[in-house]
Amino acid sequence: NPRRDAIPGTALPMFEAEIKFVAGPDFAPQGHQLPDAAYRDVYYDTPDGALTASGRELRLRRSGTETWLTAKAPPFDAATASKEEFETRAADPEAMAAILAALGYVPRVALAKRCRRFHDTAAGLGLTITVVAVDFDRRAFVEIEHLAATEQAAKAALPVIRAYAAGLGLRVECATAYTDLALAAAARTL
């Protein structure tokens, strides 16, 4: 995943300390600009919604010619929905989708994200700042994350992320998952 490639030495599992904010129209990120990215995500679940009900996520992500399969554990921080992640590249996206279907998983929601990415540091922590546009909401979102090797280190990063965000003028947090935002948007159009 390009966001992990930006941080040398990352290995799985990773604890993603992430806070998502709603940004104003004149938001200006700081830090070293990384390559932009466009993602097409499909989130899978069991037919009865057991993964979602337990706070877990199973995502097949495509970007250009690359594909990743990500499993996310239930949040270790309810206020931010930060989660432990397990991720691997998938050589053949159609085969991976067929494997998920054979295992009984069904697509829950599909969404597209366009991301402008930056890397910066705060209090000695490497941060990835991502300005996100999604295909179902006009608002601009800003994700600020730190990938940590332990849950304790990820939890310790959350106040650093909040302080960094405040310095950028970001104050409105959005703990609602993109999947839930996308499903709510789809329900409004019915």
Side-chain angles (χ1 to χ4, degrees), residues 69-92:
L69 180 66
T70 307
K72 298 184 180 194
F76 59 82
D77 181 78
T80 63
S82 293
K83 299 179 175 198
E84 180 181 18
E85 293 189 1
F86 303 84
E87 187 169 78
T88 189
R89 288 180 191 252
D92 183 336

Side-chain angles (χ1 to χ4, degrees), residues 1-6 39 59 61 66 68 70 85 87 89 117:
N1 186 327
R3 67 190 176 94
R4 293 196 196 287
D5 295 344
Y39 301 121
R59 177 185 71 206
R61 167 171 279 177
E66 298 194 351
W68 300 271
T70 307
E85 293 189 1
E87 187 169 78
R89 288 180 191 252
R117 302 169 41 247

Side-chain angles (χ1 to χ4, degrees), residues 6 17 21-22 24-25 39 41 49 59 61 74 86 90 95 136 140-142 164 177 181:
F21 298 87
V22 178
Y39 301 121
D41 295 341
R59 177 185 71 206
R61 167 171 279 177
F86 303 84
F136 54 84
F141 297 97
V142 177
Y164 180 87
L181 292 171

